[in-house]
């Protein structure tokens, strides 16, 4: 299987913590998990704690992406700040064991390393475009592609034998603004 | 192409990074004009180690200070800024 | 070389057809073109670069300097292919090159007769004078001396790039490489083994050895299979072309042969990041130096042996072998084994010893202290050799002369990696010294030739005994008159080297450039060491003292398409599409590239020119209203308790007193005081700011903000978030814009430079009241995935009001009339705020990036600086962008036109320009002179403002 499903990452929110904010304290305060470098985690710290659903991705030393629903809309100014960024990104979900090969043909990170497995996150150029990769499963990963470059990347990946499959909701694809 | 140890992402290829400047050409906002202009325009470029500021601009955005041998390009040290 | 027919090579092969110079021939699968040509009795394959001398096959590897051919037809034609580096496929078409009208009757060969007149440095000595004369010479030289012609149509092949990481990269699948790869893979390491040949085996292809009971090539296949079975990756037909910093190796994999159409991907450029690199790259045999050593039929002895043992082809029926070491003796046995006659073995050594010498003496006529002086020629082919045997001249008739002047370890990658070389005088060769990266050299490339030393655990059975280290051939001291070649591809002879030396070119780097030694596509792989020995001898120094030229990547020529990979056409630079691209298409937009973005330039009506359409759109904005897509603008949110510190450091204008809900125009400077970018700064909340800046400078501004935050301010409690792509931006401008917007949002519109949140078409938007056109105007910001309904509503509303969409050209006309600057045009990397008339905007107290730079006398003193002015064409004619501003045609320019535009309000041509002491020249008359566009327009100089001086139209 070599399938791509493109949807807007509409709900994506950036959480920035201050340089001197302790991550563990902030995680407890916000009630969400804050994964370490190169990692993604489900947001729930404990079954009793927090309402958020989805995924938290570490994309920078002091930045996490909150991808889902129920995340805090604001955070205390002493801790950090949240900013909606979802209009900027499309999510390309690659289903098929060949996603590693696709990444190796598009960029220069060691995606073939078994250590780069489910739960891994890498921000790196693919097709000369800075993208974020989130490994979801052995045979599936999400690539967050800047909206303006999406068609550029998709057309190169089509050339590598990946074909696009419509998302369950057609409106989503329209919102991704793909011609 | 150099392999640069990003303190956040681990080793990544040079093409993901941008060179900013040598540490000795850093201009602080409160530097006197004479000091600032000397830092920008009157610098030495000696054989030996250089302390350089780079940024992982195509990756996590981390700024780093690399200690690099100007002859062999070998990195001795990296520090997150 | 009358050889035809095959002896049993033991390989089951199929017969396939190919064409050389129009002649249909047959080959066997697995044949190189070189092997197939020899098998078909083709001796003459090419004409040499400079003298058009007849040339044949010299070698059987990538080092072949002479037998360059064009393979393939039409768009698939690939010039300068080494006949030894293309495997014949059914239907292959090859052509000789650099010969006219034919290979046999080449008019250019007259150069050969004129050879005494074309010595080293001929071009430098003959063609000098003005550059204009050089242009003339060059076209003549290029026609006379050259290689194959490039195809004139686009390359139809597809190329891919592929990265891979490994613990161990092994370059070369000869015995040493195979052994190293198998060991590493079976120890659980990630291994990549690359081999430029189509099959593994390397030197085993020219040996009759058995390893652990298997024939050498079968052992190679089995060992490669072991590497694969242990999880390793084996890439054949793949050449390591460059060794870069930090164990980064590039390699080119050929998935189709040169000229072969039809495959999905023709070549793959591999980018390999390796923990450790093992270079098992073997050796390249050297020629001997004697007169006419370039004749077809004079070949490297190892190549002759490869043809015999790998391809079952005898390069000749009566063969003389000339050598300086043991290895060529093996060629004698191999040839004899397929029925060729060994006329003589000429060994330059006086008393060679060893088992193989003894064995040869029993079967062949072995002459010691014997070396060739001159190859004898019959037609286009060698017919014999005149040799000096123990001081006496003797002639031997032959149809093939197999020579060996030693061998050079292939150390190109080792040197590219920064490794040292150690000279071994006994071998006349450099061996790898200390490496600078995590690499080591193994096998023959490291000077180890005995198989039992390379494969210590294996049982080796070689009927000819263990291989020994090669020794160099004798230095040529002009013992016979004529041309003795050291660089076959570039036609460099020993006389050229002597001449260079006599003329004072001592350094080997100078000799190289003067004679073109080693500057061909083969980079002197076969002859460079021979030439160095000659140069050292001429200077009376040891070889290392003569020096060595640089080993530069690529190791073998790389097709440009492999470098480009898939990044060509629309992908040569990625195209950035606006979120509303489809909607603009529906409106009939004509697109224009702006950086990587494609933006609507105009929306022409049927039959309308671009100029007419853009002026119509601009007048529409002045009359009613228009909408322009400004989504590509850079937008940053800066938020947090310390956000003001960041904003104050980046923006050179006052910021602290900006009220929440208000914005203002601002400038961002470089450290030297020059304008980096401009934009608007908005205070969204007490500790939250929005900064917009130019589309083209977005990446630079993002990095600058990050630098200021993380480096200069040492991590304040503030985050900078790049929202350039998050927000689509739609600018609504014109006298009707406020009414339209109020109607759409059902709310009062913000005052000029105010902002408000609102709803349009059910979507939450942010409205910024800023004007770039001089009219009352608003930017509507909406998250990009919700932009479509908002844009549709705006377009419907402006159309109902008599307006419509407008493009970049109209926007440019409107802003020129108002004197607004553009980064890259007016702010061109040399202008200060004061140059642009914006000096009064700056914060007097400083404290922003660039304040120190502005204090420099040359910046602070306005005298003599180029300042922004407005220009109006006086007597008709259009001002040209880029035109010089002069007092008289031919004068030194006083400035230049930065942007030209038609008047929107009124008629005629206006422009913005940068002019020395411009503000003191208001009222003067100058000429906008563009000799390249043959334009000379009289202009009057004035302030950079042509419309609504008081700014009444954009205020509330």
């Amino acid at each position: 299987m070599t399938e791509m499903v493109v949807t807007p990452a509409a709900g994506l929110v950036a959480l920035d913590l201050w340089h001197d904010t302790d991550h563990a304290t902030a995680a407890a305060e916000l009630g969400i998990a804050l994964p370490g470098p190169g990692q993604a985690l489900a947001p729930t710290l404990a079954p009793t704690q927090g309402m958020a659903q989805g995924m938290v991705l570490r994309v920078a030393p002091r930045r996490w992406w909150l991808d889902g629903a129920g995340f805090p809309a604001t955070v205390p100014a002493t801790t950090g700040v949240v900013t909606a960024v979802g209009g900027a990104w499309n999510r390309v979900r690659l289903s098929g064991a060949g996603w590693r090969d696709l990444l190796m043909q598009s960029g220069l990170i060691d995606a073939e390393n078994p250590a780069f497995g489910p739960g891994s996150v890498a921000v790196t150029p693919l097709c000369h475009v800075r993208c974020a990769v989130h490994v979801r499963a052995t045979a599936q990963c999400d690539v967050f592609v800047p909206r303006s470059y999406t068609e550029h990347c998709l057309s190169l990946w089509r050339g590598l034998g990946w074909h696009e499959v419509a998302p369950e909701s057609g409106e989503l694809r329209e919102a991704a603004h793909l011609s | 192409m150099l392999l640069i140890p990003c303190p956040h992402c681990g080793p990544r290829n040079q093409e993901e990074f941008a060179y900013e400047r040598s540490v000795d050409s850093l201009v602080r906002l409160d530097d006197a004009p004479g000091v600032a202009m000397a830092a920008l325009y009157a610098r030495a470029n000696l054989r030996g180690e250089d302390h350089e500021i780079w940024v992982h601009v195509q990756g996590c955005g981390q700024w780093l200070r690399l200690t690099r041998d100007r002859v062999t390009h070998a990195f001795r040290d990296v520090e997150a800024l | 070389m009358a050889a035809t027919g095959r002896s049993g090579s033991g390989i089951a092969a199929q017969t396939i057809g190919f064409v050389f110079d129009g002649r249909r021939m047959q080959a066997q699968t697995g044949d190189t073109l070189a092997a197939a040509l020899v098998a078909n009795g083709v001796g003459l394959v090419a004409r040499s670069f400079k003298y058009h001398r007849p040339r044949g096959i010299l070698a059987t590897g990538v080092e072949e300097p002479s037998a360059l051919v064009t393979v393939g037809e039409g768009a698939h034609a690939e010039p300068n292919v080494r006949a030894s580096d293309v495997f014949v496929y059914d239907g292959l078409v090859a052509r000789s090159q650099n010969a006219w009208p034919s290979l046999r009757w080449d008019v250019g060969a007259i150069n050969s007769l004129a050879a005494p007149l074309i010595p080293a440095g001929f071009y430098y000595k003959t063609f000098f004078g003005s550059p204009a004369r050089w242009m003339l010479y060059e076209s003549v030289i290029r026609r006379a001396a050259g290689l194959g012609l490039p195809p004139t149509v686009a390359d139809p092949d597809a190329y891919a790039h592929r990265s891979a990481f490994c613990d161990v990269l092994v370059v070369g699948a000869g015995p040493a490489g195979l052994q190293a790869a198998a060991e590493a893979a079976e120890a659980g390491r990630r291994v990549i083994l690359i081999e430029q040949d189509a099959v593994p085996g390397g030197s085993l292809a020219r040996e009759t050895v058995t390893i652990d009971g298997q024939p050498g090539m079968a052992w190679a296949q089995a060992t490669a299979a072991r590497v694969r079975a242990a999880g390793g990756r084996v890439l054949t037909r793949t050449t390591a072309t460059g060794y870069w910093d930090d164990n980064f190796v590039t390699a080119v994999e050929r998935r189709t042969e040169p000229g072969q159409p039809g495959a999905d991907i023709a070549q793959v450029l591999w980018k390999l990041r390796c923990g450790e690199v093992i270079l098992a790259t073997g050796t390249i045999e050297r020629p001997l130096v004697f007169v006419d050593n370039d004749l077809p039929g004079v070949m490297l002895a190892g190549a002759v042996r490869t043809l015999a043992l790998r391809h079952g082809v005898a390069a000749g029926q009566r063969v003389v072998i000339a050598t300086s070491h043991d290895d060529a003796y093996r060629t004698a046995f191999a040839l004899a084994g397929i029925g060729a006659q060994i006329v003589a073995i000429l060994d330059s050594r006086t008393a060679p010893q060893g088992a193989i010498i003894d064995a040869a003496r029993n079967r062949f006529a072995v002459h010691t202290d014997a070396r060739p002086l001159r190859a004898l020629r019959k037609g286009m082919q060698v017919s014999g050799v005149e040799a000096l045997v123990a001081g006496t001249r003797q002639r031997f008739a032959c149809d093939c002369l197999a020579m060996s002047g030693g061998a050079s370890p292939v150390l190109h990658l080792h040197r590219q990696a920064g490794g040292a070389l150690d000279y071994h005088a006994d071998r006349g060769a450099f061996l790898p010294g200390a490496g600078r990266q995590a690499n080591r050299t193994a096998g023959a490339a490291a000077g180890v030739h005995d198989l039992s030393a390379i494969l210590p655990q294996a049982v080796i059975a070689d009927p000819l005994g263990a291989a020994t280290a090669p020794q160099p051939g004798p230095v040529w001291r002009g013992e016979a008159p004529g041309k003795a070649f050291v660089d076959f591809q570039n036609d460099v002879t020993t006389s050229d080297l002597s001449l260079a030396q006599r003329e004072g070119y001592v350094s080997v780097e100078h000799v190289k450039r003067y004679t073109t030694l080693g500057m061909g596509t083969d980079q002197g792989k076969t002859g460079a060491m021979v030439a160095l020995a000659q140069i050292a001898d001429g200077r009376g120094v040891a070889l290392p003292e003569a020096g060595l030229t640089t080993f530069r990547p690529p190791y073998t020529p790389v097709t440009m398409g492999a470098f480009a990979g898939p990044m060509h056409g629309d992908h040569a630079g990625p195209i950035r599409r606006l979120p509303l691209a489809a909607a603009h298409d529906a409106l009939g937009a004509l697109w224009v590239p702006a950086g990587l973005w494609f933006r609507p330039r105009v929306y022409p009506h049927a039959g309308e020119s671009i100029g007419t359409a853009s002026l119509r759109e601009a007048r529409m904005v002045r009359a009613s209203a228009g909408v322009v897509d400004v989504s590509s603008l850079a937008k940053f949110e800066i938020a947090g308790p310390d956000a003001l510190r960041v904003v104050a450091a980046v923006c050179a204008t006052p910021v602290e007193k900006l009220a929440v809900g208000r914005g203002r125009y601002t400038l961002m400077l470089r450290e030297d005081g020059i304008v980096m970018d401009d934009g608007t700064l908005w205070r969204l909340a007490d500790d939250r700011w929005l900064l917009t800046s130019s589309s083209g400078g977005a990446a630079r501004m993002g990095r600058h903000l990050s630098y200021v935050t993380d480096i200069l301010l040492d991590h304040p409690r503030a985050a900078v978030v790049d929202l350039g792509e998050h927000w689509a931006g739609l600018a609504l401008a014109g006298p009707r814009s406020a009414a339209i917007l109020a109607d759409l949002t059902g709310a009062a519109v913000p005052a000029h430079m105010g902002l408000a949140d609102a709803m349009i078409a059910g979507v939450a938007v942010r409205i910024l009241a800023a004007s770039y056109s001089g009219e009352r105007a608003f930017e509507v910001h909406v998250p990009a995935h919700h932009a479509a309904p908002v844009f549709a509503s705006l377009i419907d509303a402006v159309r109902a009001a008599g307006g419509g969409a407008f493009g970049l050209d109209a926007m440019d006309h409107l802003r020129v009339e108002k004197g607004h600057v553009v980064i890259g045009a007016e702010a061109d990397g040399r202008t200060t705020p004061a140059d642009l008339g914006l000096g009064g905007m700056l914060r007097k107290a400083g404290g922003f990036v660039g304040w120190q730079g502005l204090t420099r006398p040359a910046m602070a003193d306005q005298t003599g600086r180029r300042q922004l002015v407005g220009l109006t064409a006086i007597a008709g004619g259009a001002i040209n962008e880029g035109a010089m501003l002069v007092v008289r045609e031919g004068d030194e320019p006083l400035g230049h036109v930065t942007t030209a535009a038609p008047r929107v309000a009124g008629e005629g041509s206006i422009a913005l320009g940068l002019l020395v002491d411009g503000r003191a020249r208001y009222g003067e008359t100058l000429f906008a002179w563009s000799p390249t566009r043959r334009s000379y327009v009289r202009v009057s100089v004035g302030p950079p403002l042509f419309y609504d001086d008081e700014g009444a139209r954009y205020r509330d």
Side-chain angles (χ1 to χ4, degrees), chain B residues 1 3 13 21 28-29 63, chain C residues 246 273 671 706 711 851:
Chain B
M1 186 159 40
L3 187 67
N13 286 284
R21 63 180 73 202
R28 293 287 173 187
L29 287 169
W63 289 88
Chain C
D246 287 332
R273 183 69 78 177
E671 284 172 331
S706 172
I711 306 294
W851 76 269

Side-chain angles (χ1 to χ4, degrees), chain C residues 443-481:
Chain C
V448 183
H449 295 266
D450 179 358
L451 257 189
S452 59
I454 294 167
L455 308 171
Q457 270 93 49
V459 178
I460 313 284
D462 188 337
L464 299 174
T468 57
Q471 291 155 270
V475 168
W476 179 252
R477 298 209 169 94
E479 287 90 340

Side-chain angles (χ1 to χ4, degrees), chain C residues 324-589:
Chain C
S324 56
H325 60 122
D326 294 352
D327 189 70
Y329 283 77
R330 293 169 174 267
T331 300
F333 288 99
L335 279 172
I338 59 168
Q341 180 200 343
I342 304 303
V343 175
I345 297 176
L346 310 175
D347 191 328
S348 61
R349 296 172 292 184
T350 47
Q353 287 180 344
I356 196 167
I357 313 287
D358 296 340
R361 282 192 162 118
N362 285 334
R363 284 185 66 180
F364 314 120
V366 176
H367 303 270
T368 57
D369 189 17
R371 58 198 174 93
L373 295 176
R374 184 158 68 96
L376 305 173
R377 171 174 172 171
K378 185 180 179 190
M380 300 278 178
Q381 182 70 26
V382 68
S383 64
V385 55
E386 183 178 314
L388 195 62
V389 181
T392 312
R393 288 181 187 236
Q394 281 189 35
R395 288 191 172 202
F396 302 87
C398 65
D399 58 4
C400 173
L401 174 54
M403 63 176 168
S404 182
S408 308
V410 177
L411 302 176
H412 299 64
L413 295 172
H414 171 80
R415 278 298 291 156
Q416 288 174 22
L421 297 180
D422 292 336
Y423 186 67
H424 290 246
D426 54 330
R427 300 173 181 224
F430 288 99
L431 290 177
R436 204 170 76 188
Q437 302 196 30
N439 62 295
R440 65 185 174 87
T441 309
V448 183
H449 295 266
D450 179 358
L451 257 189
S452 59
I454 294 167
L455 308 171
Q457 270 93 49
V459 178
I460 313 284
D462 188 337
L464 299 174
T468 57
Q471 291 155 270
V475 168
W476 179 252
R477 298 209 169 94
E479 287 90 340
K483 290 193 175 301
F485 287 85
V486 290
D487 181 330
F488 293 67
Q489 187 171 99
N490 273 1
D491 276 349
V492 180
T493 65
T494 51
S495 325
D496 293 325
L497 300 180
S498 311
L499 179 66
Q501 200 151 352
R502 285 201 303 279
E503 295 188 353
Y505 296 91
V506 175
S507 154
V508 65
E509 294 285 1
H510 290 158
V511 173
K512 168 180 168 171
R513 279 151 187 85
Y514 195 58
T515 63
T516 72
L517 173 74
M519 288 172 72
T521 59
D522 68 330
Q523 296 187 32
K525 287 187 177 64
T526 49
M529 281 299 293
V530 175
L532 287 179
Q534 293 287 144
I535 292 167
D537 184 65
R539 285 176 56 193
V541 298
L543 192 144
E545 219 177 302
L548 190 61
T549 55
T550 310
F551 291 90
R552 288 194 177 85
Y555 174 64
T556 52
V558 179
T559 308
M560 295 305 286
F563 290 122
M567 299 300 173
H568 57 85
D570 278 354
H571 299 291
I575 291 176
R576 299 185 73 179
R577 289 167 210 274
L578 293 171
L580 293 164
H584 293 302
D585 271 331
L587 291 173

Side-chain angles (χ1 to χ4, degrees), chain C residues 735-804:
Chain C
R736 302 286 305 277
S737 61
I740 291 168
L741 202 58
D743 194 41
L744 273 178
T745 59
V749 297
H752 181 61
M753 296 318 284
L755 69 91
D757 289 334
M759 297 289 284
I760 295 178
V763 178
V765 301
R766 177 185 285 155
I767 296 173
L768 311 170
S771 175
Y772 191 56
S773 56
E775 305 295 336
R776 187 84 163 93
F778 306 89
E779 271 179 38
V780 177
H781 286 194
V782 50
H785 49 284
H786 296 314
V790 174
F791 182 61
S793 295
L794 280 168
I795 287 291
D796 286 348
V798 292
R799 280 184 164 173

Side-chain angles (χ1 to χ4, degrees), chain A residues 89 92 94 99-111 116 122-134 141-146 149-150 152-154 156-157 160, chain B residues 12 15-16 58-59, chain C residues 163 271 566-567 571 574:
Chain A
W89 300 91
V92 181
L94 302 168
W99 66 264
R100 290 175 191 272
D101 202 51
L102 177 106
L103 296 194
M104 299 309 283
Q105 293 183 71
S106 308
L108 239 171
I109 55 161
D110 191 4
F116 189 64
V123 181
T124 190
L126 299 176
C127 309
H128 297 151
V129 178
R130 180 172 170 268
C131 297
V133 180
H134 169 216
C141 82
D142 280 352
V143 182
F144 293 86
V145 182
Y149 289 107
T150 307
H152 159 75
C153 292
L154 290 181
L156 286 169
W157 294 340
L160 296 175
Chain B
R12 291 286 184 89
E15 69 176 14
E16 299 195 6
Q58 292 292 324
Chain C
S163 308
K271 306 173 193 178
M567 299 300 173
H571 299 291

Side-chain angles (χ1 to χ4, degrees), chain C residues 739-950:
Chain C
I740 291 168
L741 202 58
D743 194 41
L744 273 178
T745 59
V749 297
H752 181 61
M753 296 318 284
L755 69 91
D757 289 334
M759 297 289 284
I760 295 178
V763 178
V765 301
R766 177 185 285 155
I767 296 173
L768 311 170
S771 175
Y772 191 56
S773 56
E775 305 295 336
R776 187 84 163 93
F778 306 89
E779 271 179 38
V780 177
H781 286 194
V782 50
H785 49 284
H786 296 314
V790 174
F791 182 61
S793 295
L794 280 168
I795 287 291
D796 286 348
V798 292
R799 280 184 164 173
F806 66 103
L808 275 191
D809 278 15
M811 192 161 87
D812 215 41
H813 300 344
L814 293 163
R815 68 97 183 166
V816 168
E817 218 167 38
K818 288 297 291 179
H820 291 313
V821 301
V822 153
I823 304 302
E826 286 74 33
D828 64 357
R830 293 176 291 182
T831 43
T832 64
D835 296 342
L836 298 172
L838 302 172
M841 288 177 54
L842 303 186
R843 287 212 305 279
K844 304 292 174 287
F848 50 84
V849 174
W851 76 269
Q852 297 104 326
L854 288 172
T855 63
R856 287 181 292 166
M859 313 280 267
D861 181 2
Q862 275 294 299
T863 312
R865 291 198 65 80
R866 290 191 172 198
Q867 297 167 333
L868 183 71
V869 295
L871 305 163
T872 307
I874 296 174
I879 305 171
N880 268 300
E881 232 159 68
M884 296 180 277
L885 296 172
V886 294
V887 175
R888 255 185 325 272
E889 184 171 350
D891 279 5
E892 278 294 306
L894 299 168
H896 69 282
V897 176
T898 53
T899 316
R903 262 190 193 279
V904 180
E907 301 295 331
S909 175
I910 56 172
L912 298 175
L914 290 167
L915 179 64
V916 173
D917 296 325
R919 285 195 283 276
R921 293 178 186 269
Y922 290 171
E924 285 185 17
T925 300
L926 294 172
F927 288 90
W929 174 42
S930 172
T932 53
R933 297 182 193 180
R934 302 178 196 285
S935 142
Y936 190 61
V937 177
R938 210 170 144 89
V939 295
S940 71
V941 180
L945 182 59
F946 302 88
Y947 177 71
D948 184 26
D949 294 2
E950 298 78 32

Side-chain angles (χ1 to χ4, degrees), chain B residues 17-77:
Chain B
F17 297 81
Y19 172 80
E20 168 62 34
R21 63 180 73 202
S22 184
V23 167
D24 62 11
S25 64
L26 214 142
V27 175
R28 293 287 173 187
L29 287 169
D30 54 2
D31 280 346
V35 173
M37 293 306 111
L40 285 182
Y41 297 118
R43 297 188 295 113
N45 185 21
L46 304 174
R47 190 184 179 92
E49 279 193 344
D50 192 15
H51 304 288
E52 301 173 340
I53 301 176
W54 291 66
V55 58
H56 194 187
V57 67
Q58 292 292 324
C60 67
Q62 172 79 56
W63 289 88
L64 40 145
R65 193 174 99 140
L66 288 168
T67 304
R68 184 180 63 91
D69 188 304
R70 284 189 178 98
V71 178
T72 64
H73 304 317
F75 298 126
R76 191 174 57 72
D77 194 28

